[in-house]
Amino acid sequence: MARPRSPLLSVDAIVTAALALVDETGDFSFPKVARRLGVSQSALYNHIDNREHIVELMRGRVFAAPAPVDLENSPWEDALRALVRAYRGCTVAHPRLVPLLITQTVQDLGVIGIYEDMAVVLERAGLGREAVVPAISTIDYLVLGSALDLTAPEVVWAPPEGQYPVLSRAIAGLGSVEERADAAFSFGLEVLVAGVRTQALHGIY
Amino acid sequence: MARPRSPLLSVDAIVTAALALVDETGDFSFPKVARRLGVSQSALYNHIDNREHIVELMRGRVFAAPAPVDLENSPWEDALRALVRAYRGCTVAHPRLVPLLITQTVQDLGVIGIYEDMAVVLERAGLGREAVVPAISTIDYLVLGSALDLTAPEVVWAPPEGQYPVLSRAIAGLGSVEERADAAFSFGLEVLVAGVRTQALHGIY
DNA sequence: ACCTGAACACCGTTCAAGT
DNA sequence: ACCTGAACACCGTTCAAGT
């Protein structure tokens, strides 16, 4: 075939195929993406640099449109909750992407924009400047961690009978994977809000 | 050679070699582990089941001996801090292992034991039973997330000039990778303690 | 029981060749 | 500019063969 009259591939098509594979199987590979798109493996390199590049493009796609948040006209606590929930909302549709995101530096400007919004709200909350980045990091851990839990099997920890009584009791009567991940996220978010409130009051951690 | 008079390999030796590779390079492979140990790749399968099994054995090794914590004779806040810091202490020596741990279910009993201790302290703090597992999950996110940050490059987020002013200001004057990871962890831990305190008082998140 | 070596089905990336 | 096909250096896992 050689060069076609109009391109068979595009960055967008590659990202779509890769993301679909991640959603379905938890991973992607060049051979599989190429097969989906009906091209040869090496053709991908005409549009993207390497594997990392595809991952970063997927990050951009997934975090492109967080639910808009009105930062101005609500107390910082509500603004922070809304912002973090919007951020988390992006991950929920593609939780299996999270392991690929976690080991790679954030370059996507959409995500940087979300961080900026968080920084604004956190300063408004009264957090010292030196605590803003730690706070954003903590939020990142919470959002990505609880997204990761969405991909976990039904039984996460299986303590053997008898030993570990307190943990066993706490585990009994837990809901589905989604309910557990949501509960952990909601708990973490309220802990965060309460913690930021006291940090803003008393400073220095 | 075939079967030697005394075994060339052992589970321990395999785990040691794999962990050394992870510490040095961020990953391990069967060929590389085998080369280190001077055996053929397939010989490893006489001692371990598969790749996941090696990862789980590494988890056990790394979390085998957290610094002991006196849970009884101190206020729950101090006990919780000590427990979480001991947990984190285990990861600091092997931060590059964290990405491998994060996608795999915890089976190791040492780690389950740490969770049990946390559950005890969290109940003592007055947390409702339904909040214990969410709290432990939140702690997990914090510890593993901040360990992950230890492996990040010096520049994590690089917002372009001009836009993102608040974030840029917050980033300016950050310390080294270790300092940033420590600051995020310490911030998250104090937020956690403060948050658990208010959760215990007011319940329901 | 415990090793070797060959085999298999995968990877990511490069590069010459074609239009 | 944009594709194919072959090549290279990697993976994890299995299995027959040897002692």
Side-chain angles (χ1 to χ4, degrees):
Chain A
M1 181 187 304
R3 171 153 125 99
R5 308 194 126 271
S6 78
L8 297 175
L9 280 178
S10 67
V11 171
D12 253 32
I14 293 171
V15 174
T16 301
L19 191 53
L21 279 165
V22 169
D23 288 342
E24 292 164 23
T25 71
D27 205 356
F28 78 99
S29 75
F30 281 79
K32 283 174 185 159
V33 169
R35 214 169 302 141
R36 284 226 171 188
L37 298 171
V39 297
S40 89
Q41 200 178 150
S42 52
L44 301 175
Y45 286 91
N46 289 302
H47 302 268
I48 50 90
D49 294 337
N50 48 39
R51 194 186 150 88
E52 270 195 27
H53 189 193
I54 298 185
V55 171
E56 207 49 26
L57 290 167
M58 287 195 277
R59 192 201 302 271
R61 169 80 63 87
V62 165
F63 292 102
V69 174
D70 179 9
L71 299 181
E72 315 279 321
N73 303 311
S74 47
W76 71 262
E77 305 201 2
D78 293 338
L80 183 59
R81 282 194 189 90
L83 213 44
V84 176
R85 288 197 177 274
Y87 183 33
R88 168 167 159 93
C90 295
T91 69
V92 169
H94 307 281
R96 304 183 87 172
L97 180 61
V98 173
L100 307 187
L101 299 180
I102 251 169
T103 45
Q104 218 169 275
T105 309
V106 177
Q107 272 145 25
D108 179 73
L109 291 186
V111 176
I112 305 269
I114 300 178
Y115 291 161
E116 169 75 8
D117 289 344
M118 290 180 187
V120 170
V121 173
L122 290 166
E123 284 210 350
R124 187 145 69 82
L127 220 56
R129 185 173 300 171
E130 77 293 341
V132 168
V133 171
I136 294 175
S137 295
T138 301
I139 292 170
D140 238 3
Y141 306 154
L142 175 66
V143 167
L144 299 180
S146 67
L148 214 58
D149 274 356
L150 283 172
T151 73
E154 282 298 328
V155 180
V156 219
W157 316 316
E161 295 283 323
Q163 305 143 302
Y164 318 106
V166 183
L167 185 63
S168 300
R169 249 188 296 129
I171 287 173
L174 284 179
S176 66
V177 175
E178 288 80 16
E179 287 168 341
R180 282 190 284 115
D182 281 356
F185 170 71
S186 296
F187 177 87
L189 178 54
E190 288 314 310
V191 157
L192 178 84
V193 170
V196 167
R197 196 186 305 122
T198 73
Q199 281 296 317
L201 291 179
H202 305 98
I204 258 13
Y205 37 92
Chain B
M1 182 187 304
R3 171 154 127 99
R5 306 195 128 270
S6 80
L8 297 175
L9 281 177
S10 67
V11 171
D12 252 31
I14 292 171
V15 174
T16 301
L19 191 53
L21 279 165
V22 169
D23 288 341
E24 292 164 23
T25 71
D27 205 357
F28 78 99
S29 75
F30 282 77
K32 284 173 184 160
V33 170
R35 213 168 303 139
R36 285 228 169 188
L37 297 172
V39 298
S40 89
Q41 200 176 153
S42 52
L44 302 175
Y45 286 90
N46 288 303
H47 301 267
I48 51 89
D49 294 338
N50 49 36
R51 195 186 149 88
E52 269 194 28
H53 188 193
I54 298 185
V55 171
E56 207 51 26
L57 290 167
M58 286 194 279
R59 192 199 304 269
R61 169 80 63 87
V62 165
F63 292 102
V69 174
D70 178 10
L71 299 180
E72 314 279 320
N73 304 310
S74 47
W76 71 262
E77 303 202 3
D78 293 338
L80 184 58
R81 282 193 189 91
L83 213 44
V84 176
R85 287 197 178 273
Y87 184 32
R88 168 169 158 91
C90 295
T91 70
V92 169
H94 308 282
R96 304 183 87 172
L97 180 62
V98 173
L100 307 186
L101 299 180
I102 249 168
T103 45
Q104 219 169 274
T105 309
V106 178
Q107 272 146 25
D108 179 73
L109 291 186
V111 175
I112 306 267
I114 300 177
Y115 291 160
E116 168 76 8
D117 288 344
M118 291 180 186
V120 169
V121 173
L122 290 166
E123 285 209 349
R124 187 144 69 82
L127 220 56
R129 184 173 303 172
E130 76 294 342
V132 168
V133 170
I136 294 175
S137 296
T138 301
I139 293 170
D140 238 4
Y141 306 154
L142 174 66
V143 167
L144 298 180
S146 67
L148 213 57
D149 274 356
L150 282 173
T151 73
E154 282 298 327
V155 180
V156 217
W157 316 317
E161 296 284 322
Q163 306 143 301
Y164 318 107
V166 183
L167 186 62
S168 301
R169 247 188 297 131
I171 288 174
L174 285 179
S176 67
V177 175
E178 288 81 16
E179 286 168 343
R180 281 190 284 114
D182 281 356
F185 170 71
S186 294
F187 178 89
L189 178 53
E190 288 314 310
V191 157
L192 178 84
V193 170
V196 167
R197 196 186 307 123
T198 74
Q199 281 296 316
L201 290 178
H202 306 99
I204 257 15
Y205 38 91

